[in-house]
Amino acid sequence: MFVFDNLADVDDRGIQTLLREVSTDLLVLALKGADPGIQEKIFKNMSKRAAELLRDDLDAKGPVKLSDVEGAQKEILTIARRLADAGEIMLGGGGEAMV
């Protein structure tokens, strides 16, 4: 099963494609509870200015419900799966079958 933390395995081009499809508000909410490694992967695939703005938004956002974070992460995974089904990004390592 593909979970939010598995986005660390998506190549940089795939992350950039995914970021074009995800709203900033959704991304902020999903990253609020994300592993720091995932956050850095997202930041390095953005322009310096966009990454700074996203960091500021994350810092400014107060506590959020875990269920809201999980819902945002699930929504991003749905977008990632749609992009993978369309052949625009590759989920996971090297073309393994995803179940």
Side-chain angles (χ1 to χ4, degrees):
M1 188 168 143
F2 195 79
V3 295
F4 195 74
D5 286 347
N6 293 127
L7 288 178
D9 299 330
V10 176
D11 67 354
D12 290 346
R13 187 179 304 253
I15 293 292
Q16 292 163 14
T17 300
L18 179 61
L19 289 175
R20 285 193 289 273
E21 301 287 324
V22 175
S23 73
T24 303
D25 292 341
L26 184 64
L27 189 58
V28 168
L29 193 54
L31 289 179
K32 191 70 176 169
D35 181 84
I38 299 289
Q39 290 182 0
E40 284 308 311
K41 175 112 179 166
I42 297 294
F43 293 142
K44 80 175 190 140
N45 281 289
M46 304 174 89
S47 71
K48 190 172 187 170
R49 175 133 174 81
E52 287 174 9
L53 290 172
L54 184 60
R55 284 182 203 271
D56 290 345
D57 288 348
L58 269 172
D59 292 340
K61 190 152 189 78
V64 293
K65 287 193 253 176
L66 182 59
S67 60
D68 292 343
V69 171
E70 290 170 345
Q73 290 179 350
K74 186 181 274 189
E75 200 169 326
I76 289 174
L77 287 176
T78 300
I79 294 168
R81 283 192 195 97
R82 179 176 47 80
L83 291 170
D85 289 346
E88 295 183 43
I89 65 172
M90 180 73 72
L91 297 179
E96 294 177 358
M98 297 291 156
V99 184

